[in-house]
Structures are given as structure tokens and as C-alpha cells.
Amino acid sequence: MFKGLKPIQYAGREVWPLIEGGKGVSATNHASSGAWAAAGGIGTVSAVNADSYDENGNVIPQTYEGKTRGDRHEELIAYGIAGGVAQVKQAYEIAGGKGAININVLWEMGGAQDILHGILEQTKGMVQGVTCGAGMPYKLSEIAQQYGVYYLPIISSARAFRALWKRAYHKVPDLLGAVVYEDPWLAGGHNGLSNAEDPREPQDPYPRVKAVRDIMRDCGIDDSVPIVMAGGVWFLRDWENWIDNPDLGQIAFQFGTRPLLTKESPIPQKWKDELTKIEEGDVLLHKFSPTGFYSSAVRNDFLNSLEARSERQIPFSKQADDEHTEQLDVGVKGKNYVTPENLNKARRLVEQDFTAGLKTPDDTIVFVTPEDRDMIRKDQQDCMGCLSHCGFSSWKDHDNFTTGRLADPRSFCIQKSLQNIAHGEDVQENLMFAGHAAYNFGTDPFYSNGFVPTVEELVNRILTGD
């Protein structure tokens, strides 16, 4: 046992301060989270577009028949509830009364509140807590109170927690199960970088977490309520000065990337194989997500193509002026004016078979192949509102179902890509989320000779400090 590490009290039971991260679309399911709880930790079922099963145990494909986005959005919510309930029930059974089971939702996912209500209503007594990030989930405490479960907000700054507490959480103080600090530079998936923070200049998490604890103390929250360090956590020995530290109070640790490579992990074998090839620096913090958030994913052909697409854009004006003196004669129809330099750039792109121009919300035109243009348009037309706001399709779950802005062709359909990779499609051609410590799969001797642990073996390894 790593020195200083002790069980904590959570939901009336004793558990290890080790939490499985709830990784998005089908990357964390009943098998991994149930096993994590059975090993004595807190397993986290992802309730984001979760899989449900037919009577033979086969995954039910999520197909959409609705003619409008609103109709398809209702189908999405129904799938989300059915999948979340199925995952929780099976995880609860696997856990066998050990550890604890949380569910994870993203506040900015489409239908988040409806899905959360639907799952909690049908799984009473099985779920101990709800972790929630991606936005400012002010109503999370209110929903948790209705079902008697803990709520665990995911934040990336002390300021964010203060705002949540002052506006809503102070009304339900007894159900605050923990505060999850997700490092915006190190965590996989979507991250909470503010406009004032530089994505290229990571900050030391210690003073930021200390600031969270200071705010919690100012709010009258006892030090026994854990702060969960999430993002960049691999070896507990790297966090030795955090454990049993009076300045920080109770600390727990969340593991998101590391449980991907276990026998119970539901991700396809091709994805698992790819994890072992990651080298330091291969995980890219990028801003292509249609959510508008930064996110961290493995650099692959998919991300490279998005970067290249954005590089093939030029600014334009709808009227000629001193700068935009030339009428664009390739890529798009109509009167669009560009600089002489950019007219030449556009013509060169067309010569390279990027003959289709698509306008962006930022008054630029991006050049793509006709095949990519058709794919982008189809994905936009097939939108089912998986996000509350989507830059790629201009979906918004209220106010006439539109953001009022032009759909952005520089982005992509995130639901399609995450469903694809989770269900066996090409790992090079889809978004592959991972934290920035993923390169450890290739350097940590625990994984030598292709060893893939069970979740129990992984938890036992983590408890040693390694």
C-alpha cells in the first residue's frame, strides 16, 4: 500500500480514493465501471450516448428515423436513457455491493437533464453519485437532491466552483460528494481552458487545487469532502506530497486514460493496440470540437486532416474594398472579394483538387474536395442534436433549434466520430480521445511484453504507488 493512502467514506461505505473517469461515448461501460467498484474504488458509468442491448446481448445500433432535427433529438434522448439504465444495472450487478457506482454526464450534451432524470428514476439505489462537467451545471445539485444521490461537479478553476456554489450548490451542501478538478492541459477529452489561459503554457495543478480548497473552506465545506485530481494521473508516487496534506484536505485521484487498456475495457482491440504506440507529445490539445471547448486527443490522420482543412481557408468580403480587390472566381458562386494573394492561393488549391469552397462563420472560405464537401453536408443534415449547442451543424436545443450562425465546415460531427471509434471503425479516421500521460503505456514496465491487466490487477498496481 502506498504510504499515506487510506480509504475514504463515500455514500455510507468505505472505498479507495481512486475513481474511474467516465469516458464519453461507450469508452466506459458497465464492464469496466462495475469491475472498478468491485475492486473497491468508485466506478463511473458513462451516460453519454450509452449503449443498450437486445435480448441476445448485442449492441442496439443507434439509427435515427425522424425527419427533423427535433424528432431525431427525441430519439437521441430515448437512446440515452435506455443505454444509461442498461449500463447502470449491469455495473451494479458486477460490483456486487463493493465500492460505489457513479454516472457521468456532460451538461452541454443534448438532452442532458432529461437523460439524467430518466436514468436516475429507473436506477434508484444503484447510483451513488453523478459527476458532471462541460459547462456550468447549476441545476446538478437540485437534480441530485430529487433522487438522494451525491453530485460531483467537474471544474478547472476555483472561480468556477465559487460561481456554482454561490448560485446553486449552497442550497444542497450535504450532497456535495466531491469536487473534481480536471486539469485543462493534461486531461483527455474536452477541457475547461478559459480565454485567459494559454493552451501552450500548462500551469502547475498544485496551486490551482489549493485555491479550490481555499474556496471550499470559505464556503464552509469540510476538508473531508474530497477534491478529485483528474488529468495527468498515472503513478500515485508522483503525487506523494498531495496525499495526507493538510493544505489540500482529502484528495482522491481519477484515472481516465489508464483503465482504457484493461481486459474489461470496452474499447475495440485496434484502439487498445494504438494506445501502446503513443509517444510523448502525440496527444494534441486542439480546438476543432463543435462544442467550442478545447479537447485532447491522439494525433492521427483524422486530426491531421482537420488541421490541414483549416489551413486551406482564406478571408473574404462581400464587397470590394481597398484590401479585397479581386473577385473570387473558383470554389464558390456569387460575388466574393479577396486579396490578390488569396486569389492566387485559392487557384492553387483548386489545382490540387480542393475545388469546393465552403463558407465559415468567420467570413472565410475553406477549400475541400467534392467528396469531403458531400460528407460534411450529409453529416450536418443528419444532425440529431447530440450537443446543446453545435458549431458544426448550428444546432441549438432551444430558440428555434438554431444558433443563428452559419454551420462551421472546419469542425466535424463528434457523435458520429466517437460512435465509430468505439464500435470498431478505423482508429486513424476518427477522434481518439486520450490524456497527455498516455505515452506511459509504452514506457511503464507494467505493460511490458504486451501485458493487459484486469481492472482488479490495475487497481492493485495503482495502490502500490505504481
Coordinates of all heavy atoms in Angstrom, one line a residue, residues 238-309:
D238 N 3.9 10.0 -7.9 CA 4.2 11.3 -8.5 C 3.4 12.4 -7.7 O 3.6 13.6 -7.8 CB 3.7 11.4 -9.9 CG 4.6 10.6 -10.8 OD1 5.8 10.3 -10.4 OD2 4.2 10.2 -11.9
W239 N 2.4 11.9 -6.8 CA 1.5 12.8 -6.1 C 1.7 12.6 -4.6 O 0.8 13.0 -3.8 CB 0.1 12.5 -6.5 CG -0.1 12.6 -8.0 CD1 0.1 11.6 -8.9 CD2 -0.5 13.8 -8.8 NE1 -0.1 12.1 -10.2 CE2 -0.5 13.4 -10.1 CE3 -0.8 15.1 -8.4 CZ2 -0.8 14.3 -11.2 CZ3 -1.1 16.0 -9.5 CH2 -1.1 15.6 -10.8
E240 N 2.9 12.1 -4.2 CA 3.1 11.8 -2.8 C 2.9 13.0 -1.9 O 2.3 12.9 -0.8 CB 4.6 11.3 -2.7 CG 4.9 10.9 -1.3 CD 6.4 10.4 -1.2 OE1 7.0 10.2 -2.2 OE2 6.8 10.1 -0.1
N241 N 3.3 14.2 -2.3 CA 3.1 15.4 -1.4 C 1.7 15.9 -1.4 O 1.4 16.8 -0.7 CB 4.1 16.5 -1.8 CG 3.8 17.1 -3.2 OD1 3.3 16.4 -4.1 ND2 4.0 18.4 -3.3
W242 N 0.8 15.3 -2.2 CA -0.6 15.7 -2.1 C -1.4 14.8 -1.1 O -2.4 15.2 -0.6 CB -1.3 15.4 -3.5 CG -0.9 16.4 -4.6 CD1 0.4 16.7 -5.0 CD2 -1.7 17.1 -5.5 NE1 0.4 17.6 -6.0 CE2 -0.9 17.9 -6.3 CE3 -3.1 17.2 -5.6 CZ2 -1.4 18.7 -7.3 CZ3 -3.6 18.0 -6.6 CH2 -2.8 18.8 -7.4
I243 N -0.9 13.6 -0.9 CA -1.6 12.7 0.0 C -1.4 13.0 1.5 O -0.3 13.2 1.9 CB -1.2 11.2 -0.3 CG1 -1.5 10.9 -1.8 CG2 -1.8 10.2 0.6 CD1 -0.9 9.5 -2.2
D244 N -2.5 13.1 2.2 CA -2.4 13.4 3.6 C -1.7 14.8 3.9 O -1.0 15.0 4.8 CB -1.6 12.3 4.4 CG -2.0 12.3 5.9 OD1 -3.1 12.8 6.2 OD2 -1.2 11.7 6.6
N245 N -2.1 15.7 3.0 CA -1.5 17.1 3.0 C -2.6 18.0 3.6 O -3.6 18.2 3.1 CB -1.1 17.5 1.6 CG -0.5 18.9 1.6 OD1 -0.8 19.8 2.4 ND2 0.4 19.1 0.6
P246 N -2.3 18.6 4.8 CA -3.3 19.4 5.5 C -3.7 20.7 4.7 O -4.8 21.2 4.8 CB -2.6 19.8 6.8 CG -1.2 19.6 6.6 CD -1.0 18.5 5.6
D247 N -2.8 21.1 3.8 CA -3.2 22.3 3.0 C -4.2 22.0 1.9 O -5.0 22.8 1.5 CB -1.9 22.8 2.2 CG -1.0 23.6 3.1 OD1 -1.5 24.0 4.2 OD2 0.2 23.8 2.8
L248 N -4.3 20.7 1.5 CA -5.2 20.3 0.5 C -6.5 19.6 1.0 O -7.5 19.5 0.2 CB -4.5 19.4 -0.6 CG -3.3 20.0 -1.3 CD1 -2.8 18.9 -2.3 CD2 -3.7 21.2 -2.1
G249 N -6.4 19.1 2.2 CA -7.6 18.3 2.7 C -7.6 17.0 2.0 O -6.6 16.5 1.4
Q250 N -8.7 16.3 2.0 CA -8.9 15.0 1.4 C -8.7 15.1 -0.1 O -9.4 15.8 -0.7 CB -10.2 14.4 1.8 CG -10.4 13.0 1.2 CD -9.4 12.0 1.8 OE1 -9.3 11.7 3.0 NE2 -8.6 11.4 0.9
I251 N -7.8 14.3 -0.6 CA -7.6 14.2 -2.1 C -7.9 12.8 -2.5 O -7.5 11.8 -1.9 CB -6.1 14.6 -2.4 CG1 -5.9 16.1 -2.1 CG2 -5.8 14.3 -3.9 CD1 -6.6 17.0 -3.0
A252 N -8.6 12.7 -3.7 CA -8.8 11.5 -4.4 C -8.2 11.6 -5.8 O -7.9 12.7 -6.2 CB -10.3 11.1 -4.4
F253 N -8.1 10.5 -6.5 CA -7.4 10.6 -7.8 C -8.3 9.9 -8.8 O -8.8 8.8 -8.6 CB -6.1 9.9 -7.7 CG -5.1 10.6 -6.8 CD1 -5.0 10.2 -5.5 CD2 -4.4 11.7 -7.2 CE1 -4.1 10.8 -4.6 CE2 -3.5 12.3 -6.4 CZ -3.4 11.9 -5.1
Q254 N -8.4 10.5 -10.0 CA -9.2 10.0 -11.1 C -8.3 9.5 -12.2 O -7.4 10.1 -12.6 CB -10.2 11.0 -11.6 CG -11.1 10.5 -12.7 CD -12.2 11.4 -13.0 OE1 -13.1 11.7 -12.2 NE2 -12.3 12.0 -14.3
F255 N -8.6 8.3 -12.7 CA -7.9 7.6 -13.7 C -8.8 7.5 -14.9 O -9.8 6.7 -14.9 CB -7.3 6.3 -13.3 CG -6.3 6.4 -12.2 CD1 -6.7 6.5 -10.9 CD2 -5.0 6.3 -12.5 CE1 -5.8 6.6 -9.8 CE2 -4.0 6.4 -11.5 CZ -4.5 6.6 -10.1
G256 N -8.6 8.2 -16.0 CA -9.4 8.1 -17.2 C -8.7 7.3 -18.3 O -9.3 6.4 -18.8
T257 N -7.5 7.7 -18.6 CA -6.8 7.0 -19.7 C -6.3 5.6 -19.4 O -6.5 4.7 -20.1 CB -5.6 7.9 -20.2 OG1 -6.1 9.2 -20.6 CG2 -4.9 7.2 -21.3
R258 N -5.8 5.5 -18.2 CA -5.1 4.2 -17.8 C -6.1 3.0 -17.9 O -5.7 1.9 -18.3 CB -4.5 4.3 -16.4 CG -3.4 3.3 -16.3 CD -2.5 3.6 -15.0 NE -1.5 2.5 -14.8 CZ -0.7 2.5 -13.8 NH1 -0.7 3.4 -12.9 NH2 0.1 1.4 -13.7
P259 N -7.3 3.1 -17.4 CA -8.2 2.0 -17.5 C -8.7 1.6 -18.9 O -9.3 0.6 -19.1 CB -9.5 2.4 -16.7 CG -9.0 3.5 -15.8 CD -7.9 4.2 -16.6
L260 N -8.3 2.4 -19.9 CA -8.7 2.0 -21.3 C -8.0 0.7 -21.7 O -8.5 -0.1 -22.4 CB -8.2 3.1 -22.3 CG -9.1 4.4 -22.3 CD1 -8.4 5.4 -23.2 CD2 -10.5 4.1 -22.9
L261 N -6.8 0.5 -21.2 CA -6.0 -0.7 -21.5 C -6.2 -1.8 -20.4 O -5.3 -2.0 -19.6 CB -4.6 -0.4 -21.8 CG -3.7 -1.5 -22.5 CD1 -4.4 -1.9 -23.8 CD2 -2.3 -1.1 -22.7
T262 N -7.4 -2.3 -20.3 CA -7.7 -3.4 -19.3 C -8.5 -4.4 -20.1 O -9.1 -4.2 -21.1 CB -8.4 -2.9 -18.1 OG1 -9.7 -2.3 -18.5 CG2 -7.6 -2.0 -17.3
K263 N -8.6 -5.6 -19.5 CA -9.4 -6.7 -20.1 C -10.8 -6.3 -20.2 O -11.6 -6.7 -21.1 CB -9.2 -8.0 -19.4 CG -7.8 -8.6 -19.6 CD -7.7 -10.0 -19.1 CE -6.5 -10.8 -19.6 NZ -5.2 -10.2 -19.1
E264 N -11.3 -5.6 -19.2 CA -12.7 -5.2 -19.2 C -13.1 -4.0 -20.0 O -14.3 -3.7 -20.2 CB -13.2 -5.0 -17.7 CG -13.2 -6.2 -16.8 CD -11.9 -6.4 -16.1 OE1 -10.9 -5.8 -16.5 OE2 -11.8 -7.2 -15.2
S265 N -12.1 -3.2 -20.4 CA -12.3 -2.0 -21.2 C -13.1 -2.4 -22.4 O -12.7 -3.3 -23.2 CB -11.0 -1.3 -21.5 OG -11.2 -0.3 -22.5
P266 N -14.2 -1.6 -22.7 CA -15.0 -2.0 -23.9 C -14.5 -1.5 -25.2 O -15.1 -1.8 -26.2 CB -16.3 -1.3 -23.5 CG -15.9 -0.1 -22.8 CD -14.7 -0.5 -21.9
I267 N -13.4 -0.7 -25.2 CA -13.0 -0.2 -26.5 C -12.4 -1.3 -27.4 O -11.9 -2.3 -26.9 CB -11.9 1.0 -26.3 CG1 -10.6 0.4 -25.7 CG2 -12.5 2.1 -25.5 CD1 -9.5 1.5 -25.7
P268 N -12.5 -1.2 -28.7 CA -12.0 -2.2 -29.6 C -10.5 -2.5 -29.5 O -9.8 -1.6 -29.1 CB -12.4 -1.7 -31.0 CG -13.5 -0.7 -30.8 CD -13.1 0.0 -29.4
Q269 N -10.2 -3.7 -29.9 CA -8.8 -4.1 -29.8 C -7.8 -3.2 -30.6 O -6.7 -2.9 -30.2 CB -8.6 -5.5 -30.3 CG -7.2 -6.1 -30.0 CD -6.8 -6.1 -28.5 OE1 -7.6 -6.5 -27.7 NE2 -5.6 -5.7 -28.2
K270 N -8.3 -2.7 -31.8 CA -7.5 -1.8 -32.6 C -7.2 -0.5 -31.8 O -6.1 0.0 -32.0 CB -8.2 -1.5 -33.9 CG -8.3 -2.6 -34.9 CD -9.0 -2.2 -36.2 CE -10.5 -2.0 -36.0 NZ -11.1 -1.8 -37.3
W271 N -8.1 0.0 -31.0 CA -7.9 1.2 -30.2 C -6.8 0.8 -29.1 O -5.9 1.6 -28.9 CB -9.2 1.7 -29.7 CG -9.2 3.0 -29.0 CD1 -8.1 3.7 -28.6 CD2 -10.3 3.7 -28.5 NE1 -8.5 4.9 -28.0 CE2 -9.8 4.9 -27.9 CE3 -11.7 3.5 -28.6 CZ2 -10.7 5.9 -27.4 CZ3 -12.5 4.5 -28.1 CH2 -12.0 5.6 -27.5
K272 N -7.0 -0.3 -28.5 CA -6.1 -0.7 -27.4 C -4.7 -0.8 -28.0 O -3.7 -0.4 -27.3 CB -6.5 -2.0 -26.8 CG -7.8 -1.9 -26.0 CD -8.2 -3.2 -25.3 CE -9.5 -3.1 -24.5 NZ -9.9 -4.3 -23.9
D273 N -4.6 -1.4 -29.1 CA -3.2 -1.6 -29.8 C -2.6 -0.2 -30.0 O -1.4 -0.1 -29.9 CB -3.4 -2.4 -31.1 CG -3.8 -3.8 -30.9 OD1 -3.6 -4.3 -29.7 OD2 -4.2 -4.5 -31.8
E274 N -3.4 0.7 -30.5 CA -2.9 2.0 -30.8 C -2.3 2.7 -29.5 O -1.4 3.5 -29.6 CB -4.0 2.9 -31.5 CG -3.5 3.9 -32.4 CD -2.8 3.4 -33.6 OE1 -3.1 2.2 -34.0 OE2 -2.0 4.1 -34.2
L275 N -3.0 2.5 -28.4 CA -2.5 3.2 -27.2 C -1.1 2.8 -26.8 O -0.3 3.7 -26.3 CB -3.4 2.7 -26.0 CG -4.9 3.2 -26.0 CD1 -5.7 2.6 -24.9 CD2 -4.9 4.8 -25.8
T276 N -0.6 1.6 -27.1 CA 0.7 1.2 -26.8 C 1.8 1.8 -27.7 O 3.0 1.8 -27.4 CB 0.9 -0.3 -26.9 OG1 0.7 -0.7 -28.2 CG2 -0.2 -1.0 -26.0
K277 N 1.3 2.5 -28.8 CA 2.3 3.1 -29.7 C 2.4 4.6 -29.5 O 3.3 5.3 -30.1 CB 1.8 2.9 -31.1 CG 1.6 1.5 -31.5 CD 0.9 1.4 -32.9 CE 0.5 0.0 -33.2 NZ -0.3 -0.1 -34.5
I278 N 1.7 5.2 -28.6 CA 1.7 6.6 -28.3 C 3.0 7.0 -27.7 O 3.5 6.4 -26.7 CB 0.5 7.0 -27.4 CG1 -0.8 6.8 -28.1 CG2 0.6 8.5 -27.0 CD1 -2.0 7.0 -27.2
E279 N 3.6 8.1 -28.2 CA 4.8 8.6 -27.7 C 4.5 10.0 -27.0 O 3.5 10.6 -27.3 CB 5.9 8.8 -28.8 CG 6.3 7.4 -29.4 CD 7.4 7.6 -30.4 OE1 7.8 8.7 -30.7 OE2 7.8 6.5 -31.0
E280 N 5.4 10.5 -26.2 CA 5.2 11.7 -25.5 C 5.1 12.8 -26.6 O 5.9 12.9 -27.5 CB 6.3 12.1 -24.6 CG 6.1 13.2 -23.7 CD 7.1 13.4 -22.5 OE1 8.0 12.6 -22.5 OE2 6.8 14.2 -21.7
G281 N 4.0 13.6 -26.4 CA 3.7 14.7 -27.4 C 2.7 14.3 -28.5 O 2.3 15.2 -29.3
D282 N 2.3 13.1 -28.5 CA 1.4 12.6 -29.6 C 0.0 13.0 -29.3 O -0.9 12.9 -30.2 CB 1.5 11.1 -29.7 CG 2.7 10.6 -30.5 OD1 3.4 11.5 -31.1 OD2 2.9 9.4 -30.6
V283 N -0.3 13.4 -28.1 CA -1.7 13.9 -27.7 C -1.8 15.4 -28.0 O -1.0 16.1 -27.4 CB -2.1 13.5 -26.3 CG1 -3.5 14.1 -25.9 CG2 -2.1 12.0 -26.1
L284 N -2.7 15.8 -28.8 CA -2.8 17.2 -29.2 C -4.0 17.9 -28.5 O -5.1 17.4 -28.5 CB -3.1 17.2 -30.7 CG -3.3 18.6 -31.3 CD1 -2.0 19.4 -31.3 CD2 -3.8 18.5 -32.8
L285 N -3.7 19.0 -27.9 CA -4.8 19.9 -27.3 C -5.2 20.8 -28.5 O -4.5 21.7 -28.9 CB -4.2 20.7 -26.2 CG -5.1 21.6 -25.4 CD1 -6.3 20.8 -24.8 CD2 -4.4 22.4 -24.3
H286 N -6.5 20.6 -28.9 CA -6.9 21.3 -30.1 C -8.3 21.9 -29.9 O -8.9 21.7 -28.9 CB -7.0 20.3 -31.3 CG -8.1 19.2 -31.1 ND1 -9.4 19.4 -31.5 CD2 -8.0 18.0 -30.6 CE1 -10.1 18.4 -31.2 NE2 -9.3 17.5 -30.6
K287 N -8.7 22.8 -30.9 CA -9.9 23.5 -30.8 C -10.8 23.2 -32.0 O -11.5 24.1 -32.5 CB -9.7 25.0 -30.6 CG -10.9 25.6 -29.9 CD -10.6 27.1 -29.5 CE -11.8 27.6 -28.7 NZ -11.7 29.1 -28.4
F288 N -10.8 22.0 -32.5 CA -11.7 21.7 -33.6 C -13.1 21.2 -33.2 O -14.0 21.0 -34.0 CB -11.1 20.6 -34.5 CG -9.8 21.0 -35.1 CD1 -8.6 20.3 -34.8 CD2 -9.7 22.1 -36.0 CE1 -7.4 20.7 -35.4 CE2 -8.5 22.5 -36.6 CZ -7.4 21.8 -36.3
S289 N -13.2 20.9 -31.9 CA -14.5 20.3 -31.4 C -15.7 21.3 -31.7 O -15.6 22.5 -31.5 CB -14.4 20.1 -29.9 OG -15.7 19.7 -29.4
P290 N -16.8 20.7 -32.1 CA -18.0 21.5 -32.4 C -18.6 22.1 -31.1 O -19.5 23.0 -31.1 CB -19.0 20.6 -33.0 CG -18.5 19.2 -32.6 CD -17.0 19.3 -32.5
T291 N -18.1 21.6 -29.9 CA -18.6 22.2 -28.6 C -18.1 23.6 -28.4 O -18.6 24.3 -27.6 CB -18.1 21.3 -27.5 OG1 -16.7 21.3 -27.4 CG2 -18.6 19.9 -27.6
G292 N -17.0 23.9 -29.0 CA -16.3 25.2 -28.7 C -15.3 25.1 -27.7 O -14.5 26.0 -27.4
F293 N -15.2 23.9 -27.0 CA -14.2 23.7 -25.9 C -12.9 23.2 -26.6 O -13.0 22.5 -27.6 CB -14.7 22.6 -24.9 CG -15.8 23.0 -24.1 CD1 -17.1 22.5 -24.2 CD2 -15.6 23.9 -23.0 CE1 -18.1 22.9 -23.4 CE2 -16.7 24.3 -22.2 CZ -17.9 23.8 -22.4
Y294 N -11.8 23.4 -25.9 CA -10.6 22.7 -26.3 C -10.8 21.2 -25.9 O -11.5 20.9 -25.0 CB -9.4 23.2 -25.5 CG -8.8 24.5 -26.1 CD1 -9.1 25.8 -25.7 CD2 -7.8 24.4 -27.1 CE1 -8.6 26.9 -26.3 CE2 -7.2 25.5 -27.7 CZ -7.6 26.8 -27.3 OH -7.1 27.9 -27.9
S295 N -10.1 20.4 -26.6 CA -10.1 18.9 -26.2 C -8.8 18.3 -26.6 O -8.0 18.8 -27.5 CB -11.2 18.2 -26.8 OG -11.1 18.1 -28.2
S296 N -8.5 17.2 -25.9 CA -7.2 16.5 -26.1 C -7.5 15.1 -26.7 O -8.3 14.3 -26.2 CB -6.5 16.3 -24.7 OG -6.0 17.5 -24.3
A297 N -6.8 14.8 -27.8 CA -7.0 13.6 -28.5 C -5.6 13.2 -29.1 O -4.7 14.0 -29.3 CB -8.1 13.7 -29.5
V298 N -5.5 11.9 -29.5 CA -4.3 11.4 -30.1 C -4.2 11.9 -31.5 O -5.2 11.9 -32.3 CB -4.3 9.8 -30.1 CG1 -3.0 9.3 -30.8 CG2 -4.4 9.3 -28.7
R299 N -3.0 12.5 -31.8 CA -2.8 12.9 -33.2 C -2.8 11.8 -34.1 O -2.0 10.8 -34.0 CB -1.5 13.7 -33.3 CG -1.2 14.2 -34.7 CD 0.2 15.0 -34.7 NE 0.1 16.3 -34.1 CZ -0.5 17.3 -34.7 NH1 -1.1 17.2 -35.9 NH2 -0.5 18.5 -34.1
N300 N -3.7 11.8 -35.1 CA -3.8 10.7 -36.1 C -4.2 11.3 -37.4 O -4.3 12.6 -37.6 CB -4.8 9.6 -35.6 CG -6.3 10.2 -35.4 OD1 -6.5 11.4 -35.6 ND2 -7.1 9.4 -34.9
D301 N -4.6 10.5 -38.4 CA -4.9 11.0 -39.7 C -6.1 12.0 -39.6 O -6.2 13.0 -40.4 CB -5.2 9.9 -40.7 CG -4.0 9.1 -41.0 OD1 -2.9 9.6 -40.7 OD2 -4.1 8.0 -41.6
F302 N -7.1 11.6 -38.7 CA -8.3 12.4 -38.6 C -8.0 13.9 -38.1 O -8.4 14.8 -38.7 CB -9.2 11.8 -37.6 CG -10.5 12.5 -37.3 CD1 -11.5 12.5 -38.2 CD2 -10.6 13.2 -36.1 CE1 -12.7 13.2 -38.0 CE2 -11.8 13.9 -35.9 CZ -12.8 13.9 -36.8
L303 N -7.2 14.0 -37.1 CA -6.8 15.3 -36.6 C -5.9 16.1 -37.6 O -6.0 17.3 -37.8 CB -6.1 15.2 -35.2 CG -6.9 15.1 -34.0 CD1 -6.1 15.2 -32.7 CD2 -8.1 16.1 -34.0
N304 N -5.0 15.3 -38.2 CA -4.2 15.9 -39.3 C -5.0 16.5 -40.4 O -4.7 17.6 -40.9 CB -3.2 14.9 -39.8 CG -2.1 14.6 -38.8 OD1 -1.8 15.3 -37.9 ND2 -1.5 13.4 -39.0
S305 N -6.1 15.8 -40.8 CA -6.9 16.3 -41.9 C -7.7 17.5 -41.4 O -7.9 18.4 -42.3 CB -7.9 15.2 -42.3 OG -8.9 14.9 -41.3
L306 N -8.1 17.6 -40.2 CA -8.8 18.8 -39.7 C -7.8 20.0 -39.7 O -8.2 21.1 -40.0 CB -9.4 18.6 -38.3 CG -10.6 17.6 -38.2 CD1 -11.0 17.4 -36.8 CD2 -11.8 18.2 -39.0
E307 N -6.6 19.8 -39.2 CA -5.6 20.9 -39.3 C -5.4 21.3 -40.7 O -5.3 22.6 -40.9 CB -4.3 20.4 -38.7 CG -4.3 20.4 -37.2 CD -2.9 20.1 -36.6 OE1 -2.2 19.2 -37.0 OE2 -2.5 20.9 -35.7
A308 N -5.2 20.4 -41.6 CA -5.0 20.8 -43.0 C -6.2 21.5 -43.6 O -6.0 22.4 -44.4 CB -4.7 19.5 -43.8
R309 N -7.4 21.1 -43.2 CA -8.6 21.7 -43.7 C -8.6 23.2 -43.3 O -8.9 24.1 -44.1 CB -9.8 21.0 -43.2 CG -11.1 21.5 -43.9 CD -12.4 20.9 -43.2 NE -12.4 19.5 -43.3 CZ -13.3 18.7 -42.7 NH1 -14.2 19.3 -41.9 NH2 -13.3 17.4 -42.8

